[in-house]
Structures are given as structure tokens and as C-alpha cells.
Amino acid sequence: MNRALKSTWTDFDNGFETIVSNISEVFFLLDRSQHFMYLNPKALRFFGIQDEDTSHITLWHVFPFEKGSKLAEFLTFSILENKSITDQLYSTSHSRWFKIATYPTETSIAVLIADANEDKVAYEKLKKNEANFRLVLDFIPHIAFILKSGMEVSFLNQRWTEYTGRTLEAGLGTKWAEMIHPDDYAAKRKLWDEKSQSGDPFETEFRVRNASGEYRWHSDRIIPIPARNGTITMWVGTATEIHETKLNKETLEKAEMMTNSGHYECNLHSGKITFSPGAFRLFGYPPNSFEPTLKFLNFVSHPEDPPKINDVINQAIATSVSFEYIRRIYLPNRQLRHILTKGTVIYNSEQKAEKIFEIIHDISDKIAAGEALRQQHHFVRQIAEATPDLITVIEIDSFRITYANIEVSTFVGYSAEELKKLDYFDIKNLIHPDDWQNFKDFFNGFRSAQDKEIREIEYRGKDAGGELKWFKVRSKVFERNQEGLPTHFISITQDITAKKLAEKELKKNEHFIKEVTEASPDLIFVVDLTLEKISYVNHSFYPDLGWSIDLTELSLNDVKQKIYHEDLPAFEKFHSELKYISDEDVKEIEYRLQNRQNRWKWLRERGKVFQRDDKGNVTQFIINIQEITEKKEVLEKQKENEVLSKLVEKKDEFMSIASHELKTPITTLKASIQVMKRLIERHTDENTLLVFVSKATQQVNKLTSLISDLMDNAKIQAGKLNMNISAFSMHELIMETVAHHSNLHNITVNNNLDELVEGDKVRIEQVITNFLSNAIKYSPKNKEVRVDVKRENRFIKVSVTDFGIGIPEEKLSHVFDRFFRVEEKSQEFSGLGLGLYISAEIVKRHKGEYGVNSQLGKGSTFWFKIPLKQAFSIKEE
């Protein structure tokens, strides 16, 4: 340290020299003229200074080669700007890098020099490695990237520009998302949000738009890079194009779906199983819905299968051959499925089994079809063995029987083996000579027969006992050779001997029936529904109808044209229903038909099923027709006589009732007058006379009512019952009418209406009077009678209810008939039976309705309703 500096050294802390003397860095002080003011031991050695007094030495005396260099600029800038500066400089004399820091004051500048060669070399090496790493990243055929939070890209390799045609800057931040397919970005972002929180690596598949504008599939794997403190702020990843692989995978998935197949791989070391989407579907689950395991495979398999499958796979591993087995699995709905598995063992470079690759296919339908075919074969054989017919297969060239069912012995008396030994000549001897040529032609015809062609023949042949029988044969081609020529045909032979005998007998019966029908006076014919005409008739003409033409030439439509129009619907219905009757039923109808002289004749037709087809549908029915005009006329006469007899009886009955009903009040009136005469002669007081006058008046009123009913009946029959329309109060009319009836009954009126009604007040009063009179008359014991009045839309309804004897149900429909009386044989209830009849006619004239409800022993309700307003004059109508 120079002497000048010592005088000022007191400005420093006493411990400062001790500190700077012991540091490993070079430290020295320079004044403004760049003379050394202080150097620590490390600085003396660094500059190679031996002299203790350094005040006369400048920095450039010991470092002349550095004058004008970057160091000079560095120190000058620090002094002039009065700023502390740190930088790295390379010393050629030391061949090393140094880190230099300056600390200027008003009078001096402190300089600290530290060896930075190792750091600089490491930095340069790192820089070189980074360049090499970037070169490698730019060379790989994948897009490499670094992500920060928020999915912002901070680094992209050159592959980004090559693939997308966009600059590296155009992909930094969030701008890279512009090149992702819109349908894929949302899913990728969602997965990022999940995994960036958990810190787990993840993979995604998405489409990237290339330089030509095409979106192509890529797959990336993103790995988190934790910082020293464990937090994750950076992720690195690469994106690889998998477009062709993706399309091939989709094609494979479609192929698996179309072929109902799949595949899976099993790692023998880890036990991990990877299912294709098709494999998931075959096991009954959605693709990628769970991670399959060996435990799962064993669980869904039929309990008998896993041990057998293990043996097959172990054998394949030991022998290095492919394997095949069928696994029965239970679907989630417990349905059993058969899976055909074909697999191979994959070995590593050391020839140790590493994986098993298996292709699986659903063969459930094939298994079911095979089982169905087996059952069908069994079923066909059972039918063949159980059928009563003879089933044979015959070789065309040799004329020999190659198969015969077991019924041969019972059918023709030969065993199956004996039948197979028969040759051409043996068969010829068994067939009737008259049928041999037809049989031979039938046989030889199969040399040119078509597969679907069925041929039939009937012939006579002898059984083993020599008895001649009739046989019916149906045959078709059974087998062809490689050239397509028939080699065998199959035949079903039926013994129709009984049928032939029956046909012979039937012909005799038909002849007999024909003779009988020809001799019958009735017209008998058969109608064919298929031809819609008469197929058989027992007479060529029918004299009763005057027809001279052949009836078989007539169609049903021809016949319909001659039927009386009123009878035609019934006739058509009769013939349509014949199609659906049973074989035992006989239907019958009577109708009028016009004969040749245009006269109407009554016919009785009886029909019955005559024939059905194989499906049971009626194809023909037989008809028997009788001409019954005379019988009908006799019956009509009888009916007319019965009607006249009933009219006379009714007339006599009416006369009897009318005589009684008229005689009773007249007799009572006569008696009252006779009594009054005697009382007058005796000068009896007026009150006594008034009693008999009142009785006489009642009988006169009764007589007047009877005469009025008879007159109204006559008017109705003559159509002269007129109405005088006016507006009146129904309430007042009912109350007045009730007041005039018997005081022996309690009549209750339920009426809340006070509207005017248009109608004939007198006639409506007559209706109410009739209803009340009947209610009182037919309820002698129960004294309650109720009158109800209510409005129904534009109508007013009046009901009269009694609680008397009621009316039998079978007589309810006749109570409004003329001259009808509920108790015709009883004299207890008087009347002509005209009151309700006249009441009904009055209501009808008012465009109204009427009716009765009754229960025997509980009473009756008679009601009527008429419009509140009459649209026009009833009298004019």
C-alpha cells in the first residue's frame, strides 16, 4: 500500500483490509488517473507486482496489452458515468475468463476481478448443447412444444412451421389453437383443465390443419416438469400424426362391427388385457367402458371353459403354434354367447413368450343354426320313420332303391333290406302289366326333371303276398352329379287301395243319388263359389217357374235379377252366410222370384255345405228349392182371418168396456135423479139434495170425459185434432189441475220455473189430467203423488210419479197404444184405454216427446216434454 493511501486508510473500517486481504478474488483501488491506490495480495500476484510502493504505477504499466481494449472502455465508462458495472472479459495473458465489477466514488474506483472461466466454459457448453438440442428437435418428424399455465405455448420446434405452414411466432401463446379442429379443441381443453390440476401425464387425440388446409389426426403425450420447489409450471410434449393409423383403426372397427368380431391382446408379464371396441361389444359392454382383466374373462365365462382354455394356451406357448378354442360367455343380461377365438403367441428377442394376440368372433348364430339343423335332421328322420307312407330314394341308372324307411315291411310286406335287393326285372314283375309302360315313362322322365318339379303317378302293384294294391307316388329330384344331371330321386308312396274302392263305391252312390234327385219334384242344384255359377241341376228346366233354359247356364247375378227387390238383401245375406256355416247346419230362406210369365212366385230355399277345399273353405253348397206360392197364399189368408178375428174380438171387447164405462155413470145418474125426485116430493132440505146433485154432476162429468175421449179418438183417426197455440204459465196450469183432483191423495209439486210456454193450454191440461188420474187410480194404497217440472235446454219437462202397483216390463211398450189397459181382466180400474193414447198424440202435435219408467210393485213415472217456443202453428201443420 503506498504512503499516500495510508494517510487516508483511516477512512476505511479497520477490519476492511483484513477482509479484502483474505478473499479469493482480485481487489484493487484506482484513482481518477488510474494509479493504484491499494491492491490486495491476490491482486499483487495477479498483476505480478513486487514493489510495495505502487503509487507511481498505473494500471496500464502492469497491463499494457489491455490499454485501449474493452477493459479500458469498461473502466472509463464506469468513472465517467459514475455507475457500478459488472461484465465478463477474456484475458489473453491469462487465457481465462474473468468477471469484473466496478464501484466508482468521487475520487476513486474499486475493482473486483473473479475467475469466471469455469462458469463461462459451462455456459458456452450449455449454449452449444442447447443449439444441438434444438437441431435435434427441429429434425424429429413430430411437433415438439412446451406449455405453460393456461395452455400457452412458449416453445415450438421447426416441425410446426413445416407442417402448418405458419411461423413459430404464429403458434406461440394460445394462437396454436387456431390450427386445431373446432370439434376437438373443447375436449382437449377439458382434459387439460383436469390433468393440469392433478399433475398427471396425459394423452389426447385431435385433428390439426396442415399447410394445405386438410385436418389430419394427431396424438400427443404431455408430461409435467416440476420445479425445484415441486410446483409445476411447465409441461413438455410431442404431437405425432396418426391419421392413417386412425383411419385404419376406424376401418378395423367398422369391419369388426360388420363381421361381429373383435380382438384383444394380453401381456403375459403384467397381465394387462387390451380390448378393441369390437371385443367390448361382443362381451356386451360399450367400448372402453372399463379396463378388462383376466379375472373378468373368467367371471363371464362358462364355469367349464377357463381350465380348458388355459390348457390350450399353455400348450400353444410350449409348442409355438397358433391356437383356437370356443369360449362361452354370459352377457350382462345373462344370455349365453359362443365366442370363437383364434390366437397366436408373440415372443420377444430372447424367444420368451411376451404377449398373446387373439381374434374373436361371435358364432352363436352358427352354433344355433347347427343345433337347429341337427334337430331338423333328427326331426325329418323321425317323421320319415313315423310316417305311414313308404319313403324311398331310387338310383336312376341302376333302377335300385338305396333308402327305404322302416315302414316298408308293414306297407308292402318287404323289409328295407329286401326292397334294396330288387332289380329292374323284379320291380317290373310286381307292377300290373297295364300300368308298367306308364310307370317306366314316369321313371325315365327324371333324367331331365327340374329340381322343383314334382311328378305323380298312380299304378297297381303286388305286395309280398301277391295281393294287388293301388299305389300313388309323388317324386322329385333328390341328388345330382357334378355335371348337374339327376342321379337319384325321392318318392313318397301311399297305399290308396281303400281310396280307390271308396271312389268306386262313391260312383255307385252318385248314380243312385242322381236317380233320386232326378225323380224329385224339387229343384236341386249345386252352386260353385269359385266359378260363381250353378255347376249341377237335377232338372234341365223347372216347370213351376216356367223356365225352359238350362239352369247351368245361369250365373248367380242372373238369378238375383229375377228376385223381388224387397227380398234381395235377405237373399244376398243368406248366400254370403252359407260360406261360414258348419257342415251339419242347414240354412233356410223364403223369397219371391219372377217366372217366365212375369208372375211372382214364392220359393223356399234350403242350403247346406257340399264341398270344402284343402284349407277348409267352402267351395260348393247344395240348394233345395220348393215352390210354395199356394202355401204362402193359404198362410196369408189365415193371417188375414186371424187379424180380422182379433179386430172383431177387439171391437167386441171395446164395446163391452165402452158399454160398461157408459152404463155405470148413467145408472148412477139415474139413481141419483130418482132419489132426488122422492126427496123433492118429501120437501127434503136443500143440503141433502145438494149431495145427490153433486153425485149426479160427477157422473155427468165422467160421462162427458168418456164421450170426449171417444170424440178425440175419432178426430185423431180422421186427422182433425187441432191445436190452439197461445202462451201460458205451466206453473199456474199445473197448480190449477192439481187443485181439481182427489183430496184423498197428497200431490207434491216441485217446480222452480216461472216461464211462459207456447202451446194449446187446454190440451196440455188434458195430458196432465190424464197422468194425474192414472197416478191416483193405480196407487190406491200409497197416497203420495209427485209432480216434477224442469227445463232441459229449449224444452220443459213434466213428470208425474206415483208409488202404486207399477206396470209389468213386457207391457211398458204398449201403455200408449189405443184401447190398452194395464189390467184388462179387472173391473177395478175403469176407463176405455184412450187417455194415454190421446195424451201421446197431443204431445207429438207439440213436437215433443213422452215416455214411462216403471217397476212392478214400486210405482211409475209418466213424463212428457215440449218446446218452450213453437216454431210454427200446429193447427196450420
Side-chain angles (χ1 to χ4, degrees), residues 606-621:
R606 302 176 81 243
K608 190 178 188 300
V609 173
F610 184 67
Q611 190 171 330
R612 296 180 184 272
D613 60 17
D614 295 338
K615 297 181 181 178
N617 298 320
V618 177
T619 58
Q620 293 182 344
F621 50 83

Side-chain angles (χ1 to χ4, degrees), residues 730 734 750-753 755 787-799 863-866 868:
M730 182 65 78
I734 291 172
N750 299 317
N751 178 23
N752 295 323
L753 298 178
E755 297 184 55
V787 179
D788 296 293
V789 183
K790 64 179 180 178
R791 179 170 181 168
E792 291 185 355
N793 297 324
R794 61 185 184 86
F795 288 84
I796 185 169
K797 182 177 181 180
V798 179
S799 303
W863 59 268
F864 73 90
K865 61 181 181 179
I866 61 173
L868 288 165

Side-chain angles (χ1 to χ4, degrees), residues 23 25-28 40 99-103 110-114:
I23 62 175
E25 288 82 6
V26 174
F27 177 79
F28 58 91
N40 70 348
K99 181 179 180 181
I100 301 178
T102 64
Y103 306 95
V111 181
L112 185 70
I113 300 176

Side-chain angles (χ1 to χ4, degrees), residues 777-781 802-808 822-823 828-829 854-860:
K777 184 195 306 183
Y778 290 103
S779 57
K781 294 181 180 179
D802 67 70
F803 304 93
I805 63 174
I807 303 170
V822 175
E823 299 293 337
E828 181 181 355
F829 304 109
S854 182
Q855 280 187 296
L856 196 62
K858 293 187 178 181
S860 305

